Amino acid sequence: MKFELKMPKMGESITEGTIINWMVAEGDSFEEGDTILEVATDKVDNEVPAPANGTLTKILFEASSVVPVGEVMALLEVSEQTKTAETNIDKINIEKPKPRTSSASVKAPSNNTFSVSNSNTFFSPLIIKIAKEHHISFEELARIPATGNEGRLRKSDVFQYIEDGRPFKFAQPAVQSDPTAYRIPQLKFDKGKGKIVEMDRMRQMIADHMVYSKHTSPHVTAYVEADLTDLVHWRNTHKVAFQETHGERLTFTPLFVEAVAKAIEDFPNINASVDGKNIIVKETINIGMATALPSGNLIVPVVKNANTKNLKELASDVNDLAKKAKENNLSGDDIQGSTFTISNVGTFGSVMGTPIINQPEVAILALGIIKKRPEVIETEHGDEIAIRSMMYLSLSFDHRVVDGFLGGSFVRRVADYLEQFDTNRKI
C-alpha cells in the first residue's frame, strides 16, 4: 500500500522544517519505528519514525531542503495502513505527485557585472525578510561573505555586514565625505593558534540568536537582592514530605517560577514582545527556563500557563522538562510559546548574571546563587547581625519598550514575593 510521508508539525508556531539527513535511501526497506529521516527547525531536531514495515520508493526533497509542514517529503510502500500524529501519513493516489517549489528556494538573479563573495545564492525566507527590511537587493546579498554550511548565508552574516556599514552596496550616490563621521576601523586581530572546534548546528543557532538579540534590543540591567532565609528554611523542612506526598522533587525553580508569574500579573507589560511600532502584551504567562543540555548548549523549555498552576503542578512541569532536556528528548511544543524567561545562573555558582534577552521577549531574569552571609536586620531589640540566605536578582530588559520604572519595579516585586514567603504554607 502506497503512502505519503509528510513534513510533521513540530510545534504550534512551526510552519516549516529543514531535512538534515535521510537515514533510509530510495529502494531500501525499513521496519516500524526505524528512523527514516532527521528534520530540524530553528529550535529542535527531530527523528521521523517509520509508521510500519515497508520500503522507501521515492525521495521528493533532498537533504538541506526547507519543506513546509504538511508537504509530502517521500513516497512509501508499507505493509498495512497506518496513520500517526508524529508523521501525518495519509493514504494517497498511486499517480506520481506534481513537483512543487518550496517558498524557501529563492535565488538571486544572475548578474555578470559584479563578482560575488559567496558561491551559494540560496537565500532562506529569514534572510530575504531581513534583506527587505533593510532594502538589500539580491545582488548585494550575493556579495556578502557567507559562513554557513555549504556556503549558505546566515543571518549573523547579514547583521555583521549591516553593522560594518554595508561596504559592498553598489550604485550609491556620490556624497561629500564627513571628516567628523565615525569610521569602522579595519582591524586585523591575531586569533592565535590552537585546537579548532567547529560549532555544531545548535551552537551556530545560539550564536545567531544572541547576536540578533544584542543588535535588536538596547539592553539595560537592573539588580536587587533578596533575603530568602524563610523560603530556604520552608523548602528544606518540607522537601522530603513534598516528594512523599506528590511524588515530585521540590527544587527552588518552581518556587522562583511561581513568584515570577505572580509579579507578571502585577506588571503585565513586562510579558510582551515588539512588532515594529506595536507592543504585544501577551494574554498567557509562559515561563521559559534556560537549561543546559548534555552537549553544553543551551535550550529554553517552557512552563505553560504558569500563573494558573499550584506548586505541585509547577514542580511536575519543571522536573519533567529538566528530565527531557537531560535526556535530549524535548519536543517542539516543549520549547515553544515562552513569554518571559528566567536563567538560574546560581546553579553554576555564579553570584549574579547579565543575561541576554530571549527574543522576541522584552526581558529576562537571572537568579544568582543563594549564599549565607552576615546581614544587619531590624528586630524588636534594634539592629542586629544575623546569618541570612541572600540572593541577587538581575533583570535585563529591552529599553525600547521597558523603562527603568517598570523594569526596576518588576524585579523588586519578584524579590518581595520571595522574601515574604508564607512559612505556614501547607504542602
Side-chain angles (χ1 to χ4, degrees):
M1 183 175 294
K2 294 184 180 293
F3 279 81
E4 291 179 333
L5 181 66
K6 298 180 180 180
M7 174 62 71
K9 184 173 180 61
M10 293 166 284
E12 56 189 22
S13 63
I14 302 298
T15 59
E16 61 186 16
T18 302
I19 297 175
I20 301 177
N21 187 35
W22 286 97
M23 309 303 291
V24 179
E26 285 187 0
D28 287 354
S29 59
F30 51 79
E31 295 183 358
E32 181 177 355
D34 288 350
T35 299
I36 295 183
L37 76 160
E38 296 174 319
V39 174
T41 68
D42 61 347
K43 288 289 187 182
V44 69
D45 295 348
N46 287 285
E47 296 179 346
V48 179
N53 298 341
T55 303
L56 195 158
T57 57
K58 187 171 182 58
I59 293 175
L60 302 180
F61 288 93
E62 298 300 325
S64 299
S65 297
V66 180
V67 184
V69 169
E71 184 71 80
V72 179
M73 300 182 291
L75 303 181
L76 310 179
E77 183 82 32
V78 296
S79 58
E80 59 183 15
Q81 185 173 352
T82 305
K83 185 174 182 179
T84 65
E86 289 78 10
T87 54
N88 292 316
I89 295 178
D90 299 308
K91 191 173 181 180
I92 63 167
N93 297 324
I94 300 179
E95 296 178 2
K96 182 178 180 180
K98 296 179 180 179
R100 306 186 185 187
T101 303
S102 169
S103 61
S105 299
V106 181
K107 294 189 177 183
S110 60
N111 189 330
N112 295 325
T113 60
F114 62 88
S115 60
V116 298
S117 297
N118 52 329
S119 58
N120 192 331
T121 54
F122 173 98
F123 301 131
S124 71
L126 177 58
I127 295 297
I128 295 171
K129 179 182 177 183
I130 296 171
K132 287 181 178 179
E133 291 175 352
H134 294 273
H135 307 288
I136 299 175
S137 66
F138 285 119
E139 291 84 355
E140 189 177 0
L141 282 177
R143 291 186 171 193
I144 301 175
T147 62
N149 188 32
E150 299 179 354
R152 290 190 178 181
L153 198 62
R154 300 165 57 201
K155 58 184 177 182
S156 58
D157 299 330
V158 180
F159 285 132
Q160 183 62 53
Y161 172 72
I162 294 171
E163 186 176 333
D164 290 343
R166 295 174 64 179
F168 303 134
K169 188 174 183 180
F170 62 94
Q172 289 296 299
V175 293
Q176 186 174 1
S177 61
D178 182 358
T180 65
Y182 173 75
R183 300 288 186 272
I184 298 175
Q186 302 299 312
L187 302 177
K188 293 184 178 180
F189 296 102
D190 180 7
K191 298 181 180 178
K193 297 180 180 179
K195 179 182 178 182
I196 297 176
V197 179
E198 184 177 357
M199 291 186 184
D200 59 23
R201 179 178 172 278
M202 182 170 286
R203 176 52 55 183
Q204 291 178 27
M205 290 192 298
I206 292 171
D208 287 345
H209 197 64
M210 295 298 98
V211 171
Y212 174 75
S213 183
K214 293 293 285 186
H215 176 85
T216 301
S217 300
H219 282 58
V220 178
T221 306
Y223 304 88
V224 299
E225 65 175 338
D227 185 343
L228 270 60
T229 304
D230 290 342
L231 183 148
V232 170
H233 177 72
W234 183 90
R235 182 257 177 183
N236 290 341
T237 301
H238 294 88
K239 62 181 181 180
V240 174
F242 188 92
Q243 185 162 3
E244 291 175 349
T245 302
H246 302 297
E248 298 289 348
R249 291 191 312 115
L250 181 59
T251 64
F252 286 107
T253 302
L255 295 167
F256 294 155
V257 170
E258 182 182 59
V260 169
K262 290 169 65 177
I264 289 175
E265 289 184 317
D266 297 338
F267 297 95
N269 287 345
I270 207 79
N271 194 53
S273 61
V274 180
D275 182 16
K277 295 183 179 180
N278 297 321
I279 302 172
I280 304 173
V281 180
K282 305 300 178 64
E283 296 177 348
T284 57
I285 298 177
N286 300 332
I287 308 298
M289 312 181 306
T291 305
L293 294 172
S295 63
N297 290 323
L298 195 69
I299 201 164
V300 185
V302 182
V303 178
K304 305 289 179 63
N305 301 303
N307 58 316
T308 67
K309 296 178 177 178
N310 58 35
L311 187 58
K312 185 262 181 185
E313 293 170 325
L314 291 175
S316 177
D317 284 358
V318 168
N319 292 336
D320 181 56
L321 292 170
K323 183 173 183 285
K324 286 183 178 180
K326 184 177 181 180
E327 296 173 352
N328 206 22
N329 196 31
L330 290 166
S331 68
D333 284 335
D334 290 331
I335 57 175
Q336 293 296 320
S338 174
T339 61
F340 185 91
T341 298
I342 64 174
S343 179
N344 191 356
V345 299
T347 303
F348 313 109
S350 296
V351 174
M352 65 174 68
T354 54
I356 297 175
I357 297 168
N358 183 24
Q359 297 293 331
E361 298 163 20
V362 298
I364 181 172
L365 178 67
L367 304 152
I369 189 172
I370 301 173
K371 190 175 182 64
K372 290 182 178 180
R373 64 172 187 261
E375 290 288 322
V376 176
I377 61 174
E378 294 182 1
T379 71
E380 58 183 3
H381 305 295
D383 291 345
E384 295 183 358
I385 296 177
I387 303 300
R388 310 295 290 179
S389 295
M390 306 297 294
M391 182 181 75
Y392 285 105
L393 297 85
S394 50
L395 179 79
S396 293
F397 54 90
D398 187 339
H399 215 341
R400 292 178 301 169
V401 294
V402 179
D403 57 24
F405 173 79
L406 175 58
S409 299
F410 171 79
V411 68
R412 183 62 255 174
R413 185 62 56 85
V414 175
D416 289 343
Y417 280 129
L418 295 174
E419 287 186 336
Q420 298 164 10
F421 188 84
D422 181 9
T423 56
N424 296 317
R425 182 174 181 173
K426 304 299 182 182
I427 61 172

